[in-house]
Amino acid sequence: MRSHSLVAVLSLGSAALALRGQFPANTADETYIRPLDIVDLNVPPYSSNTEQWRFEEGPPENATGNLIFDTVHSSLQHWPNTRYRNGHNIVPGVIPTGTLLYHGTGRHAIPTKPDWIATDPEHSIGFARGRDGWHLTLAVTRPLKVLYFDGSSAAKISEGTMDTQDIIAWGEVQPERYFDERRRIQDLCGWGKEFGLDGFARMEMDFEVMLCDFTAGVEVVSFLHVRLLPKHENLYLPRLPSPPRLPSPSSLRPLLPPDSEHWIRAFEVMHSGSWHNRYPGDSRIVLDLTGLVSLYDIALAPSLVPVRAGLERWDHRVLGISSEDLSQVKRKLIEVISLPHPVNSGIDWMTLIHVIVDRYADRLELTEHLLNFTSSDSQEVLQRAKLTQTQLRIMLRPYLSDSIIVPSTGASGVDALEWASPIFRLCATTHTSVIMNQIPFMTPSEHLLLKAVKETTREICRVTTKMWAVGVMSGLDTLFPIELNGEPDIAQIMNDWKEDIQKLMSWLDWSIWIKCRPACGPEEMCYLPTWPENVPRPKDLPRPPWDPQNITDTSEADYLTEPPLENEDGIFSFEAPTEEWRKPQPKCIRRLSPYGF
Ligand SMILES: *[C@@H]1O[C@H](CO)[C@@H](O)[C@H](O)[C@H]1NC(C)=O
Ligand SMILES: *[C@@H]1O[C@H](CO)[C@@H](O)[C@H](O)[C@H]1NC(C)=O
Ligand SMILES: *[C@@H]1O[C@H](CO)[C@@H](O)[C@H](O)[C@H]1NC(C)=O
């Protein structure tokens, strides 16, 4: 497999160089379409022939280019990784010199074992235990080498958030150990030592780093005894029959007075997480995408293809991976973190992906909005269809050569749109055609990124070009007028378009489209239900009304880091997950008391 693709890569490299000599990059001939992809052996479904630009060929059911594109686009962003909790990507990165990192603790002692640090103090403060806790501020003194696990990889639930860590720490997914954080951090750090890893970056309410050694690469800025509660305020935690510990503070919070410091801290950690909702996300962790390892890579983990078949994206996870694939994943990971200065193409993949999302995200959204329209007035429908056609044309404008010849109506069926296939092709290949020359220098991870970009742009261009061409053929485009024979059924076209755009947008599934509608007010914040606030509660948890008699002075932070205890039967059963938990939908929550999640 490897030697085969190497040959392909080398021969493509020379073919590409030959091409470059023949056709200068800035050709003045706008109508010329580069004969690309002819030798593209990297992307098997789109092999060489003229039929590859047919409008009927959508992506295969099990293609993951869209998922790799979207998860890479979402790296280190809180919003998309809260929406889809189960991570699939592992990426090496560094935390630059000078970065501040924070640690909350109940003891005035710098940890001597691996421990957790936060990128925002609002997060670490939650772990300063007791009435007054200790808060440590560290500064990075040399780039810290880390591995990033995407998804809500620090959310302590058994449904898949920990899968990618488990396979590294323990060689397999062990869902029942989702709360075994102490062993997880020890085993990850133990494994990473050989490769000079300083830690592991994860996300829960906000971003955090599992730091392996508090004496390596960090220096103390301050270590303060901070006041967390007013002197008179009790911790307001109910005294419960045994066991004294509960699975999560969210279970208890309804019992607390609405202006309690607990609520403020619980909200503020979610708030600081929200600062990293969108691109560039938490940029204190700098990723090296040339070392991306993705469990959505169907060449790396083919055994997960049938595991995912028929599942909704919320339910994708790594549990079920074969042991062969697992070894391959670990080998690949060791490869990417061992190579000190891997040769790569120099392409800024993150920017390329963002350029594509920026260019299409809001236009597709506006087009979807224009098509979400019904009227019995045919003039109104026609007006709307023309507005939609304009949006489609704007998307394709850079690819609309003046020499395009639109046939008159009459041609029908599959071939009726063949005249538009050069536009589809130019649209689909423009972002990647020249960077293909870099293939000989690309790392295997970059090949995966290239494939994801190609598959994604291809589908965007296939659908939008088809929609536009249908509009042209129906006489809707003022720039490309045609002779109509007969009245086109505009209502039918609108319906087909609506279906096309909805299918495309659900395939792309960009979290940028998930918003609070209407937008939240100034005292609110848009929020996606997540751990620990909205996690299913244990069934047997008593929920008395708040009662000062029912209070004990236990640290809340324990509930964040300690596993739930079993009941007398050795079982801790949870309420069935709600739909809101399984498929987080945005809602506005208050930024001020009274709080609520
Ligand atoms: C992907 O799906 C196609 C059919 O849609 C199937 O023929 C092919 O074997 C699948 N690929 C894998 C790797 O399972
Ligand atoms: C379509 O319009 C309806 C009514 O205005 C609205 O409730 C719905 O959210 C819209 N759908 C989309 C996908 O915009
Ligand atoms: C605590 O609350 C429970 C449930 O409301 C109640 O049965 C119990 O008597 C309370 N305990 C005290 C000490 O008030």
Side-chain angles (χ1 to χ4, degrees), residues 115-265:
D115 216 317
W116 296 265
I117 49 178
T119 54
D120 292 309
E122 282 78 1
H123 189 185
S124 47
I125 286 281
F127 297 89
R129 297 166 183 220
R131 175 177 304 284
D132 307 283
W134 290 93
H135 195 241
L136 173 65
T137 302
L138 298 169
V140 174
T141 56
R142 60 159 169 81
L144 294 180
K145 189 174 170 184
V146 297
L147 262 193
Y148 165 61
F149 298 104
D150 77 345
S152 296
S153 46
K156 281 153 270 294
I157 51 178
S158 61
E159 298 150 31
T161 54
M162 301 282 181
D163 288 1
T164 52
Q165 289 161 79
D166 285 7
I167 61 175
I168 297 171
W170 302 325
E172 61 179 345
V173 177
Q174 298 192 6
E176 70 287 354
R177 290 176 73 183
Y178 67 98
F179 240 113
D180 199 354
E181 285 281 85
R182 178 46 66 190
R183 290 284 299 283
R184 186 174 284 112
I185 194 172
Q186 275 166 7
D187 293 343
L188 283 175
C189 286
W191 173 83
K193 204 175 169 122
E194 183 185 338
F195 312 107
L197 283 172
D198 294 300
F200 300 84
R202 307 194 300 182
M203 191 195 94
E204 50 181 22
M205 301 83 81
D206 195 353
F207 287 87
E208 67 172 34
V209 177
M210 299 156 115
L211 186 64
C212 296
D213 184 348
F214 277 63
T215 65
V218 290
E219 215 175 282
V220 174
V221 175
S222 64
F223 200 178
L224 298 185
H225 197 210
V226 284
R227 181 173 300 181
L228 299 171
L229 291 172
K231 292 285 181 217
H232 63 270
E233 187 177 342
N234 208 326
L235 284 176
Y236 296 122
L237 296 184
R239 180 178 294 117
L240 292 159
S242 67
R245 288 181 299 173
L246 299 167
S248 90
S250 58
S251 315
L252 301 172
R253 209 155 279 122
L255 312 176
L256 305 175
D259 58 348
S260 154
E261 282 293 321
H262 293 284
W263 276 103
I264 298 173
R265 280 155 64 191

